[in-house]
């Protein structure tokens, strides 16, 4: 698939999100010669891209203190994207995200970004994150 077709597929994926077309039908139309496993991976990567784009909502990083609801919402989007990629590619993107998040601190609560991430996950009923290297979950 040429790069232009990949961008077009990403943009057209909104039809899957809104239910205008099934995921399987969308993937089959874009990758007619692919195996079912390849089409499933294609859809998984498009879903990860969807959440990756959502994590860049400008209102999430506009505020002076990252403990706000808006920031937690974009962190949940980042978690979804990282977890989908980790599952699809066998990477440790979420662990790297935690490393990066630990570099900033909330001025009001004096907790780092990894702790804010853990709070956001807990509030949403999501499983705790595993730090880089596969240690115990962050609480």
């Amino acid at each position: 698939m040429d790069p232009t077709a990949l961008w077009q597929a990403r943009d057209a994926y909104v039809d899957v999100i809104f239910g205008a077309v099934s995921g399987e039908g969308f993937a089959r139309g874009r990758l007619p010669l692919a195996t079912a496993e390849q089409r499933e991976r294609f859809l998984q990567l498009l879903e990860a891209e969807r959440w990756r784009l959502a994590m860049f909502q400008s209102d999430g990083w506009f505020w002076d203190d990252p403990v706000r609801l808006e920031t937690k919402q974009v962190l949940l989007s980042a978690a979804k994207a990282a977890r989908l990629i980790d599952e699809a590619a066998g990477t440790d993107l979420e662990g790297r995200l935690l490393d990066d998040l630990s570099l900033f601190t909330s001025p009001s609560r004096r907790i780092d970004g990894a702790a804010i991430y853990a709070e956001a996950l807990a509030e949403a009923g999501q499983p705790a994150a595993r730090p880089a290297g596969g240690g115990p979950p962050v609480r």
Side-chain angles (χ1 to χ4, degrees):
M1 179 177 271
D2 82 77
T4 303
L6 287 173
W7 289 113
Q8 291 170 344
R10 184 202 68 176
D11 294 345
Y13 185 69
V14 70
D15 290 342
V16 175
I17 294 167
F18 288 118
V21 63
S22 72
E24 177 59 30
F26 180 83
R28 190 176 300 280
R30 300 282 172 171
L31 302 171
L33 302 178
T35 65
E37 182 180 318
Q38 290 168 328
R39 287 191 301 272
E40 182 62 33
R41 164 89 39 109
F42 177 65
L43 291 171
Q44 189 174 22
L45 294 174
L46 285 171
E47 188 66 10
E49 175 68 1
R50 168 193 178 188
W51 289 104
R52 189 192 72 79
L53 290 170
M55 75 184 193
F56 289 111
Q57 297 175 87
S58 64
D59 66 336
W61 300 108
F62 177 77
W63 311 101
D64 293 335
D65 195 339
V67 295
R68 292 177 57 98
L69 174 64
E70 298 88 351
T71 304
K72 288 181 176 182
Q73 185 63 43
V74 297
L75 289 175
L76 289 173
S77 296
K80 181 73 171 176
R83 289 173 176 189
L84 285 167
I85 292 298
D86 285 348
E87 182 183 326
T91 58
D92 189 23
L93 191 57
E94 187 175 23
R96 291 176 58 200
L97 173 62
L98 281 171
D99 289 344
D100 289 344
L101 290 173
S102 69
L103 298 175
F104 70 86
T105 303
S106 161
S108 68
R109 296 203 25 227
R110 304 282 185 236
I111 59 174
D112 72 14
I116 296 168
Y117 183 75
E119 277 186 7
L121 290 171
E123 289 167 6
Q126 296 296 310
R130 296 214 174 265
V138 172
R139 299 266 178 224

